[in-house]
Amino acid sequence: MNVVELTPGSWPLLEELFASSKTVTWCYCTWFMQTSRELHDNDNKAVLRSKLGQPIGLLAVDDGTPVGWVAVAPRAAYSRLAKSKITAPVEPDISDVWSVTCFFVHRTGRRKGVTKTLLNAAVEYAKERGARAVEGYPVDTGGKKAQPGDLYHGTLSVFLDAGFSLVERRGTKRALVSRAC
């Protein structure tokens, strides 16, 4: 499995991957980038495509077929993060903090380590671009099985296994995690 940056050249792979899910096709992983009104009024695919050339995310590709996606970019690229108690920053200087906001793994790639591979690649990607730290906002499943649609933030166990530290619990099922680069 290879992990590649989302670029104009890899855009068709993202379209192929996202076409397999109505939910992902609707939001096109722009929820954290826009207000609710913008999300409903805009062509979200076009919004994401307009961001090409900036850090947006990475694709997992297995034998030429896209099997997974992780959204990773500087925290400042995600306007919604500052407006939620779950994702609010714990420190005032976020200029070199990056965020992992979403995962999508095609059903054929689940339970094969795709999320872990993408998360580790996201940290390296951010580090290579000057990040001091990478944050995530995962779901704590408590070891219980959850529906794939509830796991787009990633799970706490995957983040902890990837060397992230629990910074703070945010509600009963969410957490803020961080990993220094």
Side-chain angles (χ1 to χ4, degrees), residues 6-7 12 36 40 44 88 91-92 95 101 118 129 131 137 151 165:
L6 181 62
T7 64
S36 292
H40 291 282
N44 298 321
E91 56 184 83
S95 60
T101 56
L118 284 167
R129 286 154 183 78
Y137 321 98
L151 302 176
S165 298

Side-chain angles (χ1 to χ4, degrees), residues 27-173:
C27 104
Y28 245 83
C29 211
T30 61
W31 194 86
F32 287 101
M33 298 176 188
Q34 304 183 82
T35 66
S36 292
R37 175 178 221 116
E38 291 168 336
L39 191 68
H40 291 282
D41 291 348
N42 289 337
D43 175 350
N44 298 321
K45 181 177 178 179
V47 169
L48 190 64
R49 190 173 186 122
S50 76
K51 305 283 185 187
L52 290 174
Q54 304 169 34
I56 303 170
L58 306 171
L59 289 158
V61 182
D62 190 17
D63 199 26
T65 301
V67 294
W69 159 259
V70 61
V72 57
R75 184 183 166 92
Y78 299 115
S79 59
R80 279 192 192 236
L81 293 181
K83 298 175 182 174
S84 167
K85 290 179 182 179
I86 292 171
T87 58
V90 292
E91 56 184 83
D93 182 13
I94 59 163
S95 60
D96 52 1
V97 174
W98 283 47
S99 295
V100 170
T101 56
C102 296
F103 292 92
F104 175 69
V105 176
H106 189 273
R107 61 181 163 70
T108 61
R110 294 183 188 142
R111 302 205 177 274
K112 296 180 180 177
V114 174
T115 302
K116 181 179 178 180
T117 298
L118 284 167
L119 182 55
N120 286 323
V123 171
E124 285 305 308
Y125 177 76
K127 180 180 177 180
E128 290 168 2
R129 286 154 183 78
R132 171 180 50 85
V134 177
E135 289 182 346
Y137 321 98
V139 175
D140 185 358
T141 64
K144 296 177 183 171
K145 187 172 172 122
Q147 295 296 318
D150 295 334
L151 302 176
Y152 68 94
H153 297 294
T155 63
L156 181 58
S157 62
V158 168
F159 277 88
L160 295 178
D161 289 348
F164 282 73
S165 298
L166 176 63
V167 175
E168 192 172 278
R169 292 208 173 263
R170 302 278 173 99
T172 58
K173 294 191 179 204

